[in-house]
Amino acid sequence: LFDGKTLKGWKPMPGGEWTVKDGAIVGTSVKSEHRHGLLMSEKEYSDFVVNFKFRVIKGDSGFYFRSDPVKSAVGVHGFQMEIDNSKEVGGLYETGGRGWVKKPDAKLIKKIYQPGKWNQGSITVIGKNVTVRINGEVTSELKNDKGRLKGRFAMQLHGRMDMEVMFKDIEIKEAKPADDGFVEMFNGKDLTGWKTTGNWKIQKGNILPLEPREGEHGWQRYHAYITTVRKYKDFIIDLEFKFKKRGNSGVFL
């Protein structure tokens, strides 16, 4: 997201100054500036992993994501990963909304964060789930959050304080938009894609019960298990199951 030489792809907003020096984006502002100076991405993003390095010389900064520009002194509404030299670095703050949503553990920050030096930041946002990391350690995490699902990135210079903050090596991996549904593993008609020696009988409604043959009993009939022909690595599997009161089954993965 940053070519290391120019601010291409980014738009400076009123308040403070943004320049490029020695392969890093440098933001500065003075205490008399009441506005939050922002460097905002020209594009919007939804689901992603964004990685960057940051260094705070002085002041209170932040790395915004899924944010929207507004006409006010703060310049933007949305989530920010807190960027400063305090125990709150790596926390999640929602400007124009809930304020502090998640603060990190102070003992963890003391252990992993290097004030005034270059640190690695990472934000993973997939759907309604948010994970923030500093130097590889999770500092904040939200599940099924109610915040925005799309917006811009922005780096912040907090108003009414002397500011000097740096960012570099900003890169993103966007997640593909969710597809329209799942791929069927069982077609409801035959056992294409599956293998078994068990007496699995197909019934109407995509139902696949095991009906033991005469003399078959016990749970250790491994050959009667039904398994996929194909191997799978990362996945979400969704199914419905039903068994009698004394049943004992399982889905292996």
Side-chain angles (χ1 to χ4, degrees):
L1 289 174
F2 167 53
D3 62 17
K5 300 176 182 178
T6 69
L7 296 180
K8 182 179 179 181
W10 298 86
K11 180 180 179 182
M13 308 298 285
E17 182 180 9
W18 296 94
T19 59
V20 177
K21 183 178 180 181
D22 298 330
I25 296 174
V26 181
T28 58
S29 63
V30 294
K31 193 173 182 179
S32 58
E33 175 59 69
H34 71 282
R35 296 167 295 185
H36 286 15
L38 299 171
L39 182 65
M40 184 174 293
S41 67
E42 294 178 352
K43 289 179 58 178
E44 291 187 331
Y45 299 88
S46 181
D47 293 353
F48 55 82
V49 179
V50 63
N51 298 319
F52 56 90
K53 292 178 181 177
F54 66 94
R55 182 185 181 193
V56 181
I57 305 302
K58 51 186 175 183
D60 184 343
S61 182
F63 193 96
Y64 280 96
F65 58 95
R66 284 183 173 176
S67 64
D68 298 318
V70 296
K71 293 182 179 180
S72 71
V74 295
V76 69
H77 283 175
F79 259 135
Q80 66 164 304
M81 170 187 171
E82 180 70 9
I83 301 290
D84 62 17
N85 286 326
S86 79
K87 62 183 180 181
E88 295 172 343
V89 62
L92 284 166
Y93 187 93
E94 188 180 31
T95 302
R98 292 166 283 173
W100 278 109
V101 179
K102 190 77 172 182
K103 289 188 177 183
D105 179 78
K107 291 182 180 179
L108 175 64
I109 296 302
K110 184 177 181 180
K111 178 181 177 181
I112 66 172
Y113 181 65
Q114 303 179 73
K117 297 182 180 180
W118 285 106
N119 291 269
Q120 180 73 44
S122 177
I123 304 170
T124 301
V125 183
I126 305 295
K128 296 183 178 181
N129 300 324
V130 180
T131 303
V132 174
R133 293 179 174 85
I134 291 180
N135 296 328
E137 298 285 343
V138 175
T139 57
S140 300
E141 192 168 22
L142 301 176
K143 298 291 186 181
N144 199 31
D145 185 71
K146 63 182 181 180
R148 293 170 173 80
L149 295 177
K150 187 177 182 180
R152 301 175 191 272
F153 294 122
M155 289 165 270
Q156 180 206 57
L157 298 172
H158 203 289
R160 300 193 183 282
M161 63 175 61
D162 292 324
M163 287 292 313
E164 185 176 357
V165 63
M166 305 173 185
F167 297 89
K168 67 177 181 179
D169 300 341
I170 309 170
E171 58 184 13
I172 186 172
K173 180 179 182 180
E174 291 189 80
K176 295 180 180 179
D179 57 31
D180 294 331
F182 287 79
V183 176
E184 287 189 346
M185 298 176 69
F186 169 53
N187 62 23
K189 300 176 182 179
D190 56 44
L191 296 182
T192 299
W194 298 84
K195 56 185 178 180
T196 183
T197 61
N199 193 33
W200 294 83
K201 294 292 187 178
I202 300 168
Q203 294 182 358
K204 186 178 180 180
N206 284 8
I207 300 172
L208 186 62
L210 173 62
E211 298 180 358
R213 302 179 184 94
E214 185 177 353
E216 292 182 335
H217 64 276
W219 66 272
Q220 290 184 315
R221 290 178 289 121
Y222 304 120
H223 61 276
Y225 289 3
I226 185 167
T227 63
T228 61
V229 174
R230 176 184 165 187
K231 292 183 177 181
Y232 296 84
K233 186 179 179 183
D234 297 338
F235 56 84
I236 298 172
I237 185 170
D238 182 72
L239 55 89
E240 294 182 9
F241 61 89
K242 178 182 178 180
F243 53 89
K244 295 181 180 180
K245 187 175 181 179
R246 295 185 63 188
N248 187 335
S249 184
V251 178
F252 283 84
L253 56 135

